[in-house]
Amino acid sequence: MGLYAVILVTVIVVIIFGTIAALFTRYKKCPSDKILVVYGKVGKNTEGGTLSARCIHGGAAFIWPVIQDYKYLDLTPISIEVNLTNALSKQNIRVDVPSRFTVGISTEGGTMQNAAERLLGLPLNEIQDLAKDIIFGQLRLVIATMDIEEINTDRDKFLENVTSNVEAELQKIGLRLINVNVTDINDESGYIEALGKEAAAKAVNDAKKSVAEKNKDGSVGEANALRDQRVQVAQANATAVEGENKSLIVIANSEAEKREKQAEAERKATAAEKVQSAKALQEAYHAEEEAEVARAKREKATKEADIIVKAEIDKQKMEIDAEAEAEMTRRKARGEADAIFAKMDAEAKGMKEILSKQAEGFGKLVQSAGNDPDKAVMLMIVDKLPELVKTQVEAIKGIKIDKVTVWDNLGNNSGNGTPVTANFLSGMMKSVPPLQDLFKMAGMGLPDYLVKEKENKTEEKDSE
């Protein structure tokens, strides 16, 4: 029974893990260069109808087994060579337009849905042929609406018309136009070639005309330049002579002004030297005066410094001596306090050791008596009994009796059969404190057997 249970559990575990692994394999991620198309039962659209497919670009989706499946649409651009020939233009002139179109599957919402519905499962060559047919038709339509001059000269307008018409049709099957490249345009009648020759001839004639005008302008300009040269040379010579004369006059005036200024400069220099000499003497006297004042201040400061510094040194010495004495007193007091503390600590430790040893001895005594406290006390009393008896004897040992006179009749007694003299000595012994009273005053008690024995003896005496 145990083996069957183990097998059953193993089968269940294998089934669970297999199911989980299968579910993980149904989670599909969409690469960036593809479109994931999920088809089957994928839900409803916004209008309430059933969706034929759900397109995902740049994400992931879980593909439910049995009710759903998936495929990929490749976003790789498709290059299509379109060699259009004998296309009829607006002027009824047939032209050849060799071109190359680059298309690809669109990632826009509605266009991507069209691609999933119309291109899913088609091989690349069939998609290329389908796009090529659409491009051929739209290119012929655009050429039919334009003149040869517009097609040949205004290429931007031609490409714009081609792009708008072709892209609108390609979107219906889920494609978008990426690029259009028209290599050349030819016609069978040679109209475009004639237009070219006309343009070339016009350009040549314009060039020749421009050269002739430039040559004429060059000859006239050369003559005008020679004339201007002669006039300008004569004017330059006259101006040069006039300039030379004016220069001589300027030189003479400059020499006179130079001599006048040199004399004035020499006079000012002499006066300045004398003034500077006087100022130098004045400054020297002033400097000597300031030096004397500074010397007096320095001597005064030196004397003050000698007195003040000495007093300050004495003051600091007294403060240092006082602080040293105070520190010595503090250290002495601290040493005495430490000694007292050490002594008290040693005494406390000794007392603690004595008490610990006594407690240890008491513990061993009780242990030796079989853990019976009464027996332990009996042992201690037996050990101390000679000392206790000695203490009782010592209590009356020091009594000095000079003379004891006892009048006792031989036949007289105290009524209990004992002589009076015996009673006197017995009473004297009773005046010594009994052991039981001594123990009670010390907060202890005699063992029960001693107390009972004493009571028994007392009762026996009473009974006699």
Side-chain angles (χ1 to χ4, degrees):
M1 185 64 182
L3 179 62
Y4 289 120
V6 171
I7 295 173
L8 181 61
V9 170
T10 304
V11 171
I12 293 172
V13 170
V14 170
I15 292 173
I16 291 173
F17 278 102
T19 304
I20 293 173
L23 291 176
F24 276 120
T25 59
R26 300 297 292 179
Y27 187 77
K28 301 297 178 181
K29 296 182 288 294
C30 179
S32 60
D33 62 338
K34 296 181 184 299
I35 296 175
L36 176 64
V37 180
V38 182
Y39 57 91
K41 188 176 181 58
V42 295
K44 297 184 178 297
N45 55 22
T46 55
E47 298 176 355
T50 302
L51 280 176
S52 59
R54 180 160 57 93
C55 299
I56 299 169
H57 176 239
F62 181 78
I63 311 301
W64 290 100
V66 179
I67 63 174
Q68 289 182 353
D69 206 346
Y70 72 97
K71 283 186 179 180
Y72 289 104
L73 285 173
D74 197 350
L75 296 178
T76 304
I78 303 171
S79 181
I80 302 172
E81 186 177 359
V82 179
N83 294 321
L84 180 62
T85 59
N86 295 325
L88 194 62
S89 67
K90 186 177 181 181
Q91 298 166 315
N92 293 325
I93 298 174
R94 295 189 178 276
V95 295
D96 298 335
V97 185
S99 58
R100 182 170 291 276
F101 287 72
T102 304
V103 299
I105 296 176
S106 177
T107 57
E108 297 178 359
T111 309
M112 187 165 53
Q113 189 71 25
N114 293 338
E117 294 176 356
R118 294 178 174 86
L119 301 179
L120 187 65
L122 290 180
L124 180 62
N125 57 348
E126 292 186 10
I127 296 175
Q128 190 172 1
D129 292 339
L130 182 60
K132 189 174 183 180
D133 293 339
I134 294 174
I135 292 170
F136 265 118
Q138 295 303 314
L139 191 57
R140 287 181 183 276
L141 180 62
V142 170
I143 293 173
T145 60
M146 296 182 68
D147 295 332
I148 297 297
E149 289 82 358
E150 290 180 332
I151 297 173
N152 189 43
T153 57
D154 196 355
R155 290 293 181 92
D156 292 336
K157 182 178 179 181
F158 174 66
L159 292 177
E160 183 179 353
N161 292 336
V162 170
T163 301
S164 61
N165 284 25
V166 172
E167 189 166 18
E169 294 299 320
L170 289 177
Q171 287 178 353
K172 294 178 181 179
I173 63 171
L175 298 176
R176 64 182 295 265
L177 183 62
I178 298 175
N179 184 37
V180 179
N181 185 17
V182 177
T183 57
D184 195 8
I185 299 176
N186 298 316
D187 65 310
E188 62 182 9
S189 62
Y191 182 74
I192 296 176
E193 185 179 357
L195 290 176
K197 290 180 179 180
E198 180 183 359
K202 183 179 179 182
V204 171
N205 292 331
D206 290 340
K208 289 180 179 179
K209 181 179 178 182
S210 177
V211 170
E213 288 179 354
K214 295 298 181 182
N215 290 331
K216 180 190 69 173
D217 294 339
S219 299
V220 174
E222 184 179 0
N224 291 332
L226 292 175
R227 182 196 63 193
D228 293 338
Q229 180 182 4
R230 293 179 62 188
V231 171
Q232 291 176 3
V233 168
Q235 290 178 353
N237 291 331
T239 303
V241 173
E242 183 181 2
E244 288 178 359
N245 295 331
K246 289 181 179 180
S247 297
L248 293 174
I249 295 171
V250 171
I251 291 171
N253 292 331
S254 178
E255 288 290 336
E257 290 179 359
K258 184 180 73 170
R259 291 177 182 177
E260 181 181 357
K261 289 181 178 179
Q262 285 179 351
E264 182 66 22
E266 290 177 359
R267 183 184 65 79
K268 290 182 178 179
T270 303
E273 288 178 359
K274 292 181 179 181
V275 171
Q276 292 299 326
S277 298
K279 286 184 178 179
L281 290 174
Q282 183 180 1
E283 290 177 357
Y285 295 151
H286 184 66
E288 289 179 0
E289 181 182 359
E290 289 181 351
E292 290 296 330
V293 173
R295 184 179 61 79
K297 289 182 178 178
R298 181 176 61 81
E299 290 180 356
K300 180 181 178 182
T302 301
K303 292 180 180 180
E304 290 178 353
D306 292 338
I307 297 172
I308 293 173
V309 170
K310 184 177 180 182
E312 186 69 23
I313 291 172
D314 294 338
K315 178 183 176 183
Q316 290 181 359
K317 182 178 179 183
M318 292 175 65
E319 290 178 354
I320 292 171
D321 293 339
E323 183 65 26
E325 186 176 356
E327 181 64 21
M328 185 180 297
T329 303
R330 285 195 294 269
R331 291 187 179 182
K332 184 177 180 182
R334 193 180 300 114
E336 292 177 355
D338 292 341
I340 294 171
F341 176 78
K343 181 180 178 182
M344 294 179 69
D345 185 58
E347 291 178 354
K349 289 181 179 178
M351 184 62 69
K352 179 180 179 182
E353 188 67 23
I354 291 171
L355 294 175
S356 298
K357 294 299 182 180
Q358 287 182 352
E360 185 179 355
F362 292 156
K364 289 182 178 180
L365 183 62
V366 173
Q367 186 177 2
S368 300
N371 293 327
D372 189 350
D374 293 336
K375 292 181 180 180
V377 172
M378 181 181 69
L379 291 174
M380 291 177 64
I381 291 172
V382 169
D383 182 60
K384 299 296 183 180
L385 189 59
E387 295 181 5
L388 295 175
V389 173
K390 182 179 179 181
T391 301
Q392 283 188 320
V393 173
E394 291 292 332
I396 60 173
K397 180 180 179 181
I399 298 175
K400 293 182 179 182
I401 304 175
D402 293 337
K403 183 178 181 180
V404 177
T405 302
V406 179
W407 300 93
D408 186 13
N409 294 325
L410 294 175
N412 191 13
N413 52 39
S414 60
N416 54 3
T418 59
V420 176
T421 303
N423 290 333
F424 169 75
L425 294 175
S426 175
M428 182 176 290
M429 290 301 295
K430 288 180 180 179
S431 63
V432 179
L435 288 177
Q436 187 174 2
D437 294 338
L438 290 175
F439 271 80
K440 286 182 179 180
M441 286 188 290
M444 298 184 295
L446 288 173
D448 292 338
Y449 72 91
L450 291 177
V451 176
K452 291 179 180 179
E453 185 178 356
K454 184 177 180 181
E455 290 176 354
N456 292 332
K457 290 181 179 180
T458 304
E459 289 175 359
E460 289 175 0
K461 289 180 179 181
D462 294 338
S463 61
E464 290 176 359

